[in-house]
Amino acid sequence: MLESRPRKLLDQVRDALRVKHYSYSTEKTYVYWIRRFILFHNKRHPSEMGTMEVTSFLTHLAVTEHVASTTQNQALNAIVFLYRVVLQQELVGVDAVRAKKSRYLPTVLTPEEVQRIIAHLYGAYKLVVQLLYGSGLRLSEGLQLRVKDIDFAQHQLLIRDTKGRESRVTMLPNRLIEPLQAHLQSVRGLHQQDLDRGYGSVYLPYALERKYPHADRHWIWQYVFPADRLSQDPRSGVTRRHHLHETGVQRAVRSAVRLAKVEKRVTCHTFRHSFATHLLQNGYDIRTVQELLGHKDVKTTMIYTHVLNRGGRGVRSPLDG
């Protein structure tokens, strides 16, 4: 009887990430950095390497490739996961040259600029961007909203499995209630068409699919912003209707910014930055804003107080008299 061949290292990494319920985007990122690490050392197996090789790779990223500190930390996290979880080895004394931390201040739109941009958006893309600004969501959080996460009666959204793998509650703007309800009526019709064709399944997080065998076809679990077409799940191979892809929203925002003639570098995340800054401008305390954004540390939210202080920390220029 032939012995089964051991799984390849990167497949073992994917297995370990899925057991620990990491997101698919994190899985792709970790596999990318682990592959980069292996190729940097001429395809040597990580079990034959250790702290010295990890240090040299991270130093190369900082000194030669000039990556941001967040990028270097991302690479480090991926490699630590490889050694600690997959190879069951501890890395001790990694002392790489650290990438310089950015002092970048986020771009913030004025309320008038926000409305000009939104005026050039349509359909589901418009609703997504209105939620990014009106509720302070990250793009991934907006796209991953499910029907059950919207509480119209309480005017709130429940944001699950966020960046810190926790949940939070934020507001649902009053002016979005009717448009969202109308949108969900059309989404429900699309879902019924999928069911009639033998589809209608949606990805369920963690072990919920085994715990609730038919929940993946229930209406409340469907995405609020479903994709236009069915696609094959890259993990399970099941044909499902996923949510809208991020690139579609990003392209729509770039086009709207150009048409609105807003001369700023605007991304989808700019609307979340603007949400936080405008709340502070309207007199809400920073702890409230921290909770709505889902920041673990108030220091992260403090960046918006620097945005509020105009050039020179609010000092009046002598040219202005």
Side-chain angles (χ1 to χ4, degrees), residues 127-145:
L127 278 174
V128 170
V129 172
Q130 285 177 311
L131 283 174
L132 302 187
Y133 174 64
S135 305
L137 306 186
R138 300 177 179 91
L139 177 56
S140 60
E141 293 170 347
L143 296 182
Q144 291 169 19
L145 272 179

Side-chain angles (χ1 to χ4, degrees), residues 46-321:
S47 62
E48 301 171 359
M49 300 186 283
T51 299
M52 184 174 69
E53 288 81 7
V54 174
T55 298
S56 65
F57 175 64
L58 295 175
T59 299
H60 166 79
L61 293 179
V63 175
T64 305
E65 298 194 15
H66 307 290
V67 301
S69 61
T70 52
T71 302
Q72 189 188 43
N73 287 337
Q74 194 178 66
L76 174 60
N77 290 339
I79 295 170
V80 167
F81 182 90
L82 166 68
Y83 277 93
R84 181 175 295 165
V85 179
V86 180
L87 300 177
Q88 297 186 343
Q89 299 176 23
E90 283 294 332
L91 291 172
V92 180
V94 175
D95 189 24
V97 174
R98 305 303 292 177
K100 187 176 180 180
K101 286 190 175 182
S102 171
R103 293 187 59 82
Y104 163 79
L105 291 179
T107 299
V108 172
L109 300 165
T110 65
E112 187 267 341
E113 288 171 333
V114 170
Q115 296 308 323
R116 277 166 50 196
I117 294 170
I118 289 176
H120 290 282
L121 291 165
Y122 304 94
Y125 291 151
K126 180 176 183 178
L127 278 174
V128 170
V129 172
Q130 285 177 311
L131 283 174
L132 302 187
Y133 174 64
S135 305
L137 306 186
R138 300 177 179 91
L139 177 56
S140 60
E141 293 170 347
L143 296 182
Q144 291 169 19
L145 272 179
R146 297 177 190 258
V147 173
K148 66 182 181 58
D149 298 329
I150 302 180
D151 187 338
F152 287 110
Q154 298 295 324
H155 293 200
Q156 64 185 27
L157 303 174
L158 179 56
I159 312 302
R160 302 176 187 273
D161 304 319
T162 62
K163 190 175 179 181
R165 304 186 74 186
E166 296 179 356
S167 298
R168 73 179 191 278
V169 174
T170 188
M171 77 279 281
L172 171 62
N174 291 336
R175 68 165 56 186
L176 291 186
I177 290 178
E178 288 188 13
L180 268 175
Q181 288 175 333
H183 169 76
L184 286 177
Q185 284 185 352
S186 64
V187 172
R188 190 159 199 166
L190 180 64
H191 176 55
Q192 187 59 53
Q193 289 177 21
D194 288 344
L195 290 173
D196 294 341
R197 295 167 56 201
Y199 297 107
S201 169
V202 70
Y203 167 76
L204 293 185
Y206 310 155
L208 288 176
E209 200 160 10
R210 291 194 301 272
K211 189 175 181 180
Y212 306 109
H214 303 293
D216 61 335
R217 285 177 165 76
H218 289 179
W219 164 239
I220 63 170
W221 283 99
Q222 303 305 306
Y223 289 117
V224 173
F225 300 108
D228 294 333
R229 63 191 68 178
L230 300 171
S231 60
Q232 191 177 68
D233 189 310
R235 290 182 168 185
S236 66
V238 176
T239 298
R240 294 180 168 131
R241 190 176 295 278
H242 201 52
H243 57 66
L244 285 176
H245 200 278
E246 293 187 0
T247 55
V249 185
Q250 291 162 347
R251 281 196 298 266
V253 166
R254 285 196 296 270
S255 176
V257 171
R258 185 175 64 254
L259 292 171
K261 298 182 180 179
V262 173
E263 303 296 330
K264 292 180 179 178
R265 182 180 177 274
V266 179
T267 67
C268 291
H269 211 63
T270 303
F271 295 97
R272 176 172 157 93
H273 293 320
S274 302
F275 163 86
T277 304
H278 296 167
L279 284 182
L280 291 171
Q281 286 175 334
N282 291 337
Y284 291 95
D285 66 275
I286 197 162
R287 292 287 181 183
T288 298
V289 177
Q290 176 193 357
E291 290 179 8
L292 292 172
L293 292 173
H295 288 161
K296 284 189 174 181
D297 192 333
V298 74
K299 289 180 182 178
T300 308
T301 319
M302 288 291 288
I303 191 171
Y304 299 111
T305 63
H306 296 302
V307 176
L308 284 172
N309 294 325
R310 291 179 295 177
R313 295 187 176 274
V315 175
R316 186 178 179 84
S317 167
L319 186 61
D320 292 329

Side-chain angles (χ1 to χ4, degrees), residues 24-38:
Y24 184 57
S25 61
T26 301
E27 177 183 317
K28 291 191 295 184
T29 300
Y30 274 30
V31 168
Y32 166 79
W33 283 117
I34 291 169
R35 182 181 284 117
R36 283 280 310 271
F37 171 61
I38 294 170

